[in-house]
Amino acid sequence: MSRQPGLFETEAAAPPKRRVPGAGDVRPARDSPLLEAPLLPVDIRLGTSSWFFPGWRGLVYDGVHPQVTLSRKGLAAYAEIPLLRTVSLDRTFYAPISTADYVRYASQVPEHFSFVVKAPAIVCDAVMRDEEGRGKVANSHFLDAAVATREFVVPCLEGLKAKAGPLVFQVSPLPRSLVEDSSLLIERLEAFFAALPTELGGRAPLYALELRNPELLTPRLMRMLGRAGVRYCVGLHDRMPEVERQEAALKALDGGEPGPLVVRWNLHRGFLYQAAKQRYEPFDRLVDEDGETRLILARMAAAAYKGGRKVWITANNKAEGSAPLSLLKLAQEIAKLIA
């Protein structure tokens, strides 16, 4: 495919600018292998799930910093790495945050940057959970569009403005009683999405649904998402089918023309979350490469881009051992397919 004039010449591709360091300043890594990543088109955005990992010294950050410092001050340095054009705001899943918090995040990143934002569990989880994650009682706010609008959509869009990317509703593992009557659940989901704002401040939000129950990944669900104008978020997780089946579901949703691509590469094939975490910490190298998944994701990204669609792919450290290095190799594969 021929490249559009200037498409690869973007501000995002420029080397990180040198800054005058202050006390406690966090700077991007100057000798990072990530700086050798190919320059992808601006509408293909790769990033990580969160940004505050001390083990990324030399990959993303210069120097040694505790996690709390990176959480507060690391985002600006992260966003200076040309490869990293998005990040998943995961903290928003655990509790809603304010418009001011979103404004603060937006102020730390350049104009081309776009956040993937997770909706809070208060509207995505059917049960209220204890600190160990055990469901105790039914959640009365599950799929409550009014709460989702007030606590999530409005502050997110007002705070991030043009830097708001996909708003991902990751529905937590559901009780058997809800899954058994999937037709009723899909109707509830359709009514929920229909009640969310379709425009705010002159911008149309991009909603996406991520699942943790594989039995819901059906043609009926895809038809509903198509009617609702909601994207299916490819979520690679031990609870969900491999990427091949999710790619097939996405094709069923889109028909012959791909839509915007939203992927969260959360976990290595065949691993449980805690086992992967223990195996891969401190997340500074690739331990178990998953070339098959990487090639499929590159193919999906290339197809969406060639169809004129935007792409967001975030990688977790638990996918292969180090999210930044996973993205470096993914970018190399994507570049080959769109050259």
Side-chain angles (χ1 to χ4, degrees):
M1 176 180 179
S2 62
R3 297 177 180 175
Q4 300 175 24
L7 187 60
F8 289 64
E9 308 298 327
T10 69
E11 181 183 356
K17 298 178 182 178
R18 292 193 175 276
R19 297 176 293 171
V20 178
D25 193 41
V26 179
R27 299 183 299 274
R30 296 297 167 181
D31 298 316
S32 171
L34 304 184
L35 300 179
E36 302 301 318
L39 306 182
L40 297 177
V42 293
D43 280 341
I44 299 180
R45 292 183 171 91
L46 307 183
T48 64
S49 294
S50 303
W51 62 87
F52 39 81
F53 298 97
W56 290 356
R57 176 190 180 188
L59 286 175
V60 178
Y61 305 111
D62 271 345
V64 179
H65 303 280
Q67 189 174 69
V68 64
T69 299
L70 294 177
S71 177
R72 294 173 180 170
K73 302 180 179 182
L75 179 58
Y78 168 100
E80 286 191 44
I81 302 293
L83 173 66
L84 305 175
R85 298 178 183 168
T86 187
V87 75
S88 179
L89 278 180
D90 289 353
R91 67 169 286 203
T92 53
F93 178 76
Y94 301 100
I97 66 175
S98 68
T99 300
D101 284 329
Y102 285 115
V103 169
R104 180 168 54 86
Y105 287 135
S107 71
Q108 298 176 60
V109 299
E111 291 305 312
H112 67 268
F113 201 91
S114 176
F115 291 89
V116 176
V117 194
K118 291 182 67 175
I122 191 173
V123 295
C124 294
D125 200 336
V127 296
M128 304 295 290
R129 300 181 186 272
D130 61 20
E131 292 182 357
E132 266 92 57
R134 293 187 294 261
K136 292 297 184 182
V137 296
N139 175 16
S140 61
H141 296 306
F142 178 55
L143 299 183
D144 186 325
V147 173
T149 299
R150 182 181 69 246
E151 301 294 332
F152 175 55
V153 177
V154 170
C156 176
L157 295 180
E158 288 184 343
L160 296 182
K161 298 188 182 331
K163 296 175 184 176
L167 277 58
V168 178
F169 292 83
Q170 179 219 295
V171 176
S172 299
L174 295 169
R176 178 55 50 189
S177 57
L178 286 178
V179 177
E180 285 177 346
D181 192 355
S182 62
S183 61
L184 180 59
L185 178 61
I186 291 171
E187 288 176 3
R188 287 186 63 185
L189 283 165
E190 185 166 16
F192 170 74
F193 285 119
L196 295 179
T198 57
E199 182 272 337
L200 191 69
R203 297 182 180 87
L206 176 63
Y207 299 122
L209 174 68
E210 183 178 355
L211 300 176
R212 286 293 183 270
N213 288 86
E215 54 270 60
L216 295 178
L217 193 61
T218 63
R220 182 173 188 146
L221 177 73
M222 295 301 132
R223 289 193 296 271
M224 180 278 287
L225 294 178
R227 292 192 300 270
V230 174
R231 297 306 297 160
Y232 172 70
C233 174
V234 177
L236 306 185
H237 193 274
D238 67 297
R239 291 180 176 272
M240 292 300 294
E242 303 291 3
V243 65
E244 296 90 339
R245 183 179 163 194
Q246 297 194 55
E247 181 187 26
L250 199 58
K251 287 180 178 178
L253 169 61
D254 291 334
E257 183 177 343
L261 178 64
V262 184
V263 176
R264 298 203 326 120
W265 190 6
N266 297 305
L267 194 60
H268 193 282
R269 293 172 181 246
F271 276 68
L272 297 176
Y273 184 88
Q274 284 300 325
K277 182 176 184 293
Q278 293 171 8
R279 180 174 174 83
Y280 296 152
E281 283 183 321
F283 312 126
D284 57 354
R285 62 191 178 92
L286 296 181
V287 179
D288 297 308
E289 293 196 42
D290 187 353
E292 185 176 359
T293 293
R294 184 188 305 139
L295 287 174
I296 294 171
L297 294 180
R299 181 177 72 213
M300 295 169 69
Y305 167 69
K306 291 178 179 180
R309 305 298 185 172
K310 295 182 179 181
V311 174
W312 290 266
I313 300 178
T314 60
N316 194 297
N317 286 317
K318 287 73 161 182
E320 296 183 300
S322 175
L325 291 175
S326 292
L327 295 173
L328 172 59
K329 292 210 167 189
L330 178 59
Q332 291 168 345
E333 296 296 340
I334 294 173
K336 294 176 188 176
L337 293 174
I338 65 174

